[in-house]
Amino acid sequence: MEPLKTEIVVVGGGPGGYAAAFYAADLGRKVILVEKEKRLGGACLNRGCIPSKALLYASHTIATARQSASRGITFAEPVIDLPKLRAWKESILQRLSGGITQLAKARGVQVIHGRGYFEDSRTLRVETEQGQQLISYENAIVAVGSRPALPKAFDLGNPRVMTSTEALEIEDIPENLLIIGGGYIGMELGTVYAEMGSKVVLVEAMDSILAGADPDLARPIINYAKKNFREMRLKTKVSKMSTCGKQIKVEFDMAGEKKEELYDRVLIAVGRSANAGDMGLENTKVSFDERGFIHVNDKQQTTDPYIYAIGDIAGGVLLAHKASKEARIAVEVIAGEDSAFQDITIPAVVFTQPELAWCGLTEAEAKAKGIAVQVSKFPWAASGRALSFDHPEGLTKLIIDPDTERVLGVGIVGYGAGELISEGALAIEMGATAKDIALTVHPHPTLSETIMEAAEGFYGHATHTLVRKKAQ
Ligand code: NAD
């Protein structure tokens, strides 16, 4: 078998891998992109970000229709045609992955579908449908991502016990759904199923959902869950699960107290596991942490001089946009540029109702690290736009360095917070001060004004809230 020769081989075609392949091609490199599945786009496009957002949009329609009764417009109860909903979701995924395939072609990136296996530090063997293909490369970028964690005790081999992958297929709408884990996935998919009509019980091992988010920003989401889930149990663990006819028998341990219940389906959302096994990396000098994620430095270099790793497989926060950023860094380092993952702001968005988004330093983090900050908040109950959307439950807050007045962090909870947070990320990246934001004219009436008013509040003169004096 004659090996193909390339400058860069990228293993994994998700938002890290295809971004790396495209950027390298844009810089004039010869690139091969290897993807084991038929469709490009990775977990994010096929089993994560995109299908979940489509389902959240669909479920928001139900919520909006229901809420509109209080505004004098009443709709009939929704009729959910699941095959049609699934087909619509699928059409989005096909369109997006088709677009990525076309973009690869237009850039001259050779895409090989098959499983990649490292023979050594400079050779990848790909098992394709047509047979084996060896690729000899100068540099490899590993972008093989992660998959939902499924602890052994929960793995009953019963399709009624789902991870996010199966839950996104919405085979049916279970009457009683148990969700284990109150993180991003538990809260987002809990929202989808609750709006579609399931009675959702969510259990979380810690004393709060959405660990990492500031408690005052998480509050409106907790309020949503209290209202729309059947129950939310904190400091609760599932000790045992077993199949019981068409249902799942679940034993809970709630701070010492035991309980047993039956559920129609169970969604396991307790984090994600690394995908680096069974790909021959032991034949290279790449090393791993105890959870199986690849060790990298801030240049995305692994402990093998020819191999880089980006995205989920390189650990850290498991977010698509972090993968895409690391893709650029890896390619630039390979191209000989002085690039590194330093002082980079990675915003986080939880697409619940309302949405929760933050970037940079959080208030809780500042407290834990003993960093002196001034916090300026603007409640959305004072925003004309928030009220006209009938969503006054939001809050915008800025975390500001009291000496330099620089914006160190931004947190937003509220309708469309995910679309608003980028102004905060730009402010932090640009080293903006609260004054820069306060002096920037924001259009009225928009939710973006809440960011400006939070900055004005820092100086004691937000128009729509009363702040008596300049923050000290
Ligand atoms: P997560 O880490 O966000 O949350 C998992 C939660 O499960 C934690 O709160 C943890 O305390 C809890 N938990 C763990 N074991 C438990 C147990 N035995 N019983 C009860 N609770 C338990 O993980 P996730 O929600 O599975 O999401 C996985 C990753 O996917 C996240 O790291 C996130 O970065 C990413 N993701 C991002 C988005 C987004 O950007 N909007 C959406 C979905 C997923």
Side-chain angles (χ1 to χ4, degrees), residues 180-181 183-185 188 204-206 269-272 318-319 349 351:
I180 306 179
Y184 284 69
I185 293 179
E188 289 186 5
E204 164 58 52
M206 315 272 270
V270 296
R272 296 182 68 88
L318 309 183
L319 296 173
V349 182
F351 293 86

